[in-house]
């Protein structure tokens, strides 16, 4: 992927893997929220899985950053 230039600075196109991770993250957050009132333990597990995905997305975005 080649970097794109914009008024703010450099940016690179979002890969398909990142888009899949974002979609999965949103699904997990929604599931965790919906089940939070009935099963707190399962809700915590889903939030934790979503947190790990969010961390992977963040690390992936930062690994491409150039200063």
């Amino acid at each position: 992927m080649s970097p794109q230039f914009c008024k703010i600075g450099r940016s690179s196109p979002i890969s398909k893997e990142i888009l899949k991770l974002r979609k999965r993250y949103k699904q997990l957050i929604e599931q965790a929220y919906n089940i939070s009132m009935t099963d707190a333990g399962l809700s915590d597990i889903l939030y934790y899985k979503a947190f790990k995905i969010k961390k992977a997305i963040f690390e992936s975005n930062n690994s491409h950053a150039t200063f």
Side-chain angles (χ1 to χ4, degrees):
M1 288 182 262
S2 62
Q4 303 290 322
F5 293 96
C6 63
K7 292 180 181 181
I8 297 172
R10 293 177 61 157
S11 66
S12 59
I14 299 173
S15 70
K16 290 181 183 180
E17 293 81 20
I18 297 298
L19 292 175
K20 287 180 185 178
L21 286 174
R22 284 184 180 178
K23 184 177 179 180
R24 182 66 180 141
Y25 169 77
K26 289 178 184 180
Q27 290 172 343
L28 286 171
I29 290 294
E30 184 177 351
Q31 288 175 351
Y33 175 77
N34 289 338
I35 203 163
S36 64
M37 292 297 160
T38 57
D39 190 351
L42 180 57
S43 176
D44 290 344
I45 291 169
L46 293 173
Y47 276 122
Y48 178 70
K49 287 182 179 182
F51 171 76
K52 290 194 317 186
I53 290 174
K54 185 175 182 180
K55 185 177 176 182
I57 293 169
F58 182 74
E59 289 174 354
S60 174
N61 286 340
N62 284 341
S63 68
H64 298 314
T66 57
F67 296 100

